[in-house]
Amino acid sequence: MEGELGQLYQRWSDTLTQALAHLEAYIDFSEDDNVEEGVLSQVDDTVRALEREIGAHLRDGRRGELLRGGVHAVIAGPPNVGKSSLLNLL
């Protein structure tokens, strides 16, 4: 989870947490003048953009499948040229 995919998921989580905080502040303090105008539309825009981004990510099945299944490779060559040594090194 420390790689590129983990960073993406963390960014999504942070975006949702911030949207939730804005929404809760609007609910709790909507009668006061402490909450900015347009908070609901800002939250709505943020969540809809995130929904589109997640949907696009899920539709990219190749990337998800490669991350889950890995890549298959063949090390081929004549006998005694170092195939096993290369595999052990990797």
Side-chain angles (χ1 to χ4, degrees), residues 23-74:
L23 190 58
E24 288 177 354
Y26 180 80
I27 291 169
D28 290 342
F29 305 110
S30 63
E31 296 169 355
D32 300 339
D33 292 331
N34 296 340
V35 179
E36 299 175 8
E37 294 265 340
V39 169
L40 288 181
S41 63
Q42 180 185 359
V43 168
D44 185 52
D45 292 344
T46 301
V47 171
R48 287 184 190 275
L50 184 58
E51 180 183 23
R52 286 189 299 272
E53 188 177 345
I54 291 172
H57 180 75
L58 291 174
R59 283 188 297 277
D60 185 9
R62 293 176 301 121
R63 182 176 181 186
E65 184 61 32
L66 285 175
L67 289 171
R68 286 187 294 278
V71 177
H72 297 281
V74 175

Side-chain angles (χ1 to χ4, degrees), residues 71-77 83-84 86-87 90:
V71 177
H72 297 281
V74 175
I75 301 175
K83 295 182 300 288
S84 296
L86 176 62
L87 180 63
L90 294 174

